[in-house]
C-alpha cells in the first residue's frame, strides 16, 4: 500500500508508505493523497489530520524514475491538481506534518502545504530537485517565502542546500522540534490539543488566515468578520458561559 490511513479518535493519520522510493510520490499515490484528504475534510467525525512518512522518511519528492520514463509533463497540469497530490487543495480543517528524515523537493512542498510542521532531530528540508532541473510546481516558491521570508527562501530555492532541524526551527519552517522518532507522537499530542477546542470558531479563524493572502487589507478585515458570524452565533455564548462558570481561568487550557 502506498498509503496507510488510520484514525485515532478525531485525528486522521495519513502515512506515505513507498519504502522502495523513500516515500516519493508517483501519479497513483498523488491521486490517493487527494482522495484521502478529501475524505478527511468531508468526515464530520474528524477534526485534524497528520501527514507523515513510514520508515523514518517523510517524503523524497516526486518519483523521478517515473518522470524519467514518462516525460516532462507527467502528472503536471497548471490548471489542475498538483503532481504531489493535495497541494492545490485548501481544506476546511488543519493538517500537521510529522517530519522524520528527508522532506525534500516535492516532499518539502507537501510539508509546506500543511498548517504546522513537527520535525524530529533527523529532519532535513531542502530543494534537492535543484540538482536535476525539476521546478517547484506544488507551491514551494509561494509558500516558502510566505513562511520564512523572501531572503531565507531564496537561499533554499537557489542553492538547494539541506536545512537541518536547528536551522529549520530558527527559520520557523519547523514549528516544533522533538527527539528522533518522536515526530508522530508529538503531532498526535498537538492534534488532540487542537481537536478539543470549539471547531467552528477554530476553522473560521484558520480559513481567514489562509484567505487573507489574496485580499487587500480592508477586504481581508471584512472577510474575517463575515467568517466569524457563524461561530459568534453558535459557539461564543456557550464558551462565555463556561468561562463565567469558572473554567479556563488564569490561562488554563486543560479544563475547558
Amino acid at each position: 500500500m502506498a498509503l496507510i490511513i488510520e484514525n485515532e479518535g478525531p485525528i486522521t493519520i495519513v502515512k506515505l508508505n513507498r519504502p522502495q522510493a523513500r516515500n516519493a510520490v508517483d501519479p497513483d499515490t498523488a491521486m490517493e493523497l487527494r482522495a484521502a484528504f478529501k475524505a478527511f475534510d468531508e468526515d464530520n467525525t474528524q477534526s485534524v489530520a497528520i501527514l507523515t512518512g513510514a520508515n523514518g522518511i517523510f517524503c523524497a519528492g516526486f518519483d523521478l524514475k517515473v518522470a524519467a520514463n514518462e516525460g516532462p509533463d507527467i502528472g503536471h497540469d497548471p490548471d489542475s491538481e498538483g503532481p504531489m497530490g493535495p497541494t492545490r487543495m485548501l481544506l476546511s480543517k488543519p493538517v500537521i506534518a510529522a517530519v522524520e528524515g528527508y522532506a525534500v523537493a516535492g516532499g518539502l512542498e507537501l510539508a509546506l502545504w500543511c498548517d504546522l510542521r513537527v520535525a524530529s532531530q533527523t529532519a532535513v528540508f531542502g530543494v534537492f530537485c535543484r540538482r536535476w532541473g525539476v521546478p517547484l510546481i506544488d507551491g514551494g516558491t509561494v509558500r516558502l517565502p510566505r513562511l520564512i521570508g523572501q531572503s531565507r527562501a531564496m537561499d533554499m530555492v537557489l542553492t538547494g542546500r539541506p536545512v537541518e532541524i536547528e536551522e529549520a526551527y530558527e527559520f520557523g519552517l519547523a514549528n516544533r522540534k522533538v527527539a528522533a522518532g518522536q515526530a508522530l507522537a508529538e503531532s498526535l499530542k498537538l492534534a488532540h490539543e487542537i481537536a478539543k477546542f470549539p471547531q467552528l470558531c477554530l476553522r473560521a479563524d484558520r480559513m481567514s488566515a489562509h484567505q487573507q493572502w489574496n485580499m487587500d487589507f480592508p477586504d481581508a478585515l471584512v472577510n474575517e468578520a463575515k467568517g466569524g458570524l457563524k461561530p459568534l452565533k453558535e459557539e461564543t455564548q456557550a464558551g462565555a458561559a463556561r468561562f463565567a462558570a469558572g473554567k479556563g481561568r488564569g490561562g488554563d487550557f486543560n479544563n475547558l
Side-chain angles (χ1 to χ4, degrees):
M1 294 185 295
L3 288 186
I4 299 171
I5 302 172
E6 301 171 329
N7 297 105
E8 184 178 295
I11 313 304
T12 297
I13 303 166
V14 179
K15 183 179 294 184
L16 287 161
N17 184 41
R18 300 189 73 229
Q20 76 282 6
R22 295 191 173 187
N23 295 332
V25 171
D26 64 2
D28 288 341
T29 306
M31 287 191 291
E32 289 183 43
L33 281 169
R34 285 193 288 271
F37 282 105
K38 183 175 185 292
F40 156 71
D41 209 39
E42 294 175 351
D43 188 340
N44 292 331
T45 71
Q46 298 298 288
S47 298
V48 183
I50 296 171
L51 175 60
T52 192
N55 303 300
I57 295 176
F58 182 74
C59 177
F62 190 78
D63 193 333
L64 294 184
K65 292 180 180 178
V66 175
N69 290 331
E70 300 193 30
D73 293 329
I74 182 67
H76 177 45
D77 177 354
D79 297 318
S80 187
E81 295 90 353
M84 292 297 298
T87 53
R88 295 178 192 159
M89 298 170 66
L90 177 56
L91 305 186
S92 66
K93 307 173 189 176
V95 182
I96 300 169
V99 181
E100 301 276 354
Y102 288 108
V104 295
L108 170 65
E109 293 180 294
L110 278 177
L112 296 173
W113 172 73
C114 297
D115 295 280
L116 298 170
R117 285 149 295 282
V118 175
S120 89
Q121 292 291 337
T122 69
V124 178
F125 301 90
V127 187
F128 281 20
C129 51
R130 181 57 55 237
R131 299 169 295 168
W132 314 122
V134 178
L136 295 171
I137 52 176
D138 278 87
T141 64
V142 179
R143 294 189 176 103
L144 189 62
R146 292 182 178 188
L147 282 173
I148 67 173
Q150 182 79 0
S151 180
R152 285 170 168 165
M154 284 298 99
D155 186 2
M156 292 183 67
V157 169
L158 297 180
T159 69
R161 67 180 180 85
V163 173
E164 297 183 357
I165 183 58
E166 294 301 330
E167 189 176 15
Y169 184 70
E170 177 189 349
F171 281 4
L173 180 51
N175 299 94
R176 305 281 193 280
K177 57 178 179 177
V178 297
Q182 294 302 304
L184 179 55
E186 184 65 23
S187 294
L188 278 166
K189 179 182 176 182
L190 179 59
H192 281 290
E193 289 175 358
I194 293 170
K196 74 182 181 182
F197 295 127
Q199 290 297 296
L200 190 62
C201 178
L202 181 143
R203 293 171 193 172
D205 287 349
R206 173 189 172 274
M207 186 59 69
S208 175
H210 278 292
Q211 291 175 335
Q212 59 88 21
W213 288 104
N214 302 319
M215 299 179 180
D216 292 332
F217 189 73
D219 293 336
L221 292 177
V222 171
N223 185 65
E224 177 191 59
K226 287 180 177 178
L229 287 175
K230 190 172 183 181
L232 280 171
K233 292 177 180 178
E234 299 184 20
E235 288 183 342
T236 299
Q237 186 174 7
R242 291 196 301 274
F243 174 79
K247 294 184 179 294
R249 296 294 178 86
D252 181 10
F253 274 66
N254 296 312
N255 183 22
L256 299 178

